[in-house]
Amino acid sequence: RLWPVCVSDSQTAKQAGLVKQAFEAQRAMLMKASKAKQPGPAEMQGVAKDTSELVGQIQGCATTDRRAADYHHRQAMSEAIPAIGWVMVEKTPGPHVNDMWECGAFNQTKILTEYKGKSDEHVAFARSMGKIFTDLAAYIKEHHRTGLTWNPKGVAVTELAAGPPAGGAPPP
């Protein structure tokens, strides 16, 4: 389960669902990278399109109504989610994730302060949000320290997008 029970507000629940979809889209992109040669900048925009569109939708769930009960919840994720754009950062993507999480951490701290001793669910929500981004930074540090790793012996990324040949997949 991505978020604790406190995600009951329809907009927060919608945002949480979009976050899950964004990480699934990024996982699919990472699977492509393991099978394909590094594409050029124009092709890379296409590869990252699904994730990028979801980031925009997640940010669209933020609210300007500071009196909303879930203001800090939605704002924290809205400000931190650009971290998954690390795949577009060459040489050192880890600091990008950390920088984006710092933006979200301000509102995470507000949640922790407001709900400490009042609601374990909201505190768990805030902590799980932080864990997502610290785990992402650790993953990048271990597997993609100098940028998204592609398969130098792989196929063109456009071949992966095309799917199996018209006659179906070859027999095993």
Side-chain angles (χ1 to χ4, degrees):
R1 188 168 182 179
L2 187 62
W3 304 114
V5 181
C6 73
V7 181
S8 58
D9 177 270
S10 62
Q11 286 300 308
T12 307
K14 175 184 173 186
Q15 187 185 48
L18 291 168
V19 168
K20 183 175 187 271
Q21 289 176 39
F23 276 97
E24 288 169 350
Q26 183 151 89
R27 183 179 187 283
M29 183 183 357
L30 293 173
M31 295 301 291
K32 285 182 182 180
S34 73
K35 298 173 185 172
K37 294 177 185 171
Q38 185 170 3
E43 288 176 307
M44 186 60 188
Q45 293 294 326
V47 172
K49 184 179 180 209
D50 292 343
T51 305
S52 178
E53 288 177 355
L54 286 162
V55 166
Q57 291 176 41
I58 292 163
Q59 290 178 316
C61 290
T63 180
T64 56
D65 181 5
R66 291 183 178 269
R67 294 174 297 192
D70 65 340
Y71 171 79
H72 295 296
H73 299 67
R74 290 192 274 158
Q75 200 65 27
M77 183 54 70
S78 177
E79 291 177 6
I81 198 63
I84 66 174
W86 70 268
V87 295
M88 303 298 279
V89 179
E90 293 183 18
K91 297 187 182 178
T92 54
H96 171 75
V97 174
N98 294 329
D99 290 346
M100 292 298 98
W101 171 239
E102 283 181 19
C103 294
F106 174 81
N107 283 291
Q108 179 213 30
T109 301
K110 296 282 189 179
I111 298 166
L112 292 171
T113 303
E114 182 178 345
Y115 291 100
K116 182 180 179 182
K118 297 177 186 172
S119 173
D120 292 341
E121 293 157 342
H122 287 271
V123 170
F125 172 90
R127 288 194 176 133
S128 68
M129 192 181 327
K131 185 161 175 39
I132 288 170
F133 294 103
T134 55
D135 286 354
L136 178 60
Y139 167 79
I140 293 166
K141 186 175 182 179
E142 184 176 343
H143 300 285
H144 302 279
R145 184 180 292 265
T146 58
L148 179 58
T149 305
W150 293 86
N151 183 343
K153 296 180 182 177
V155 299
V157 75
T158 53
E159 290 181 40
L160 292 175

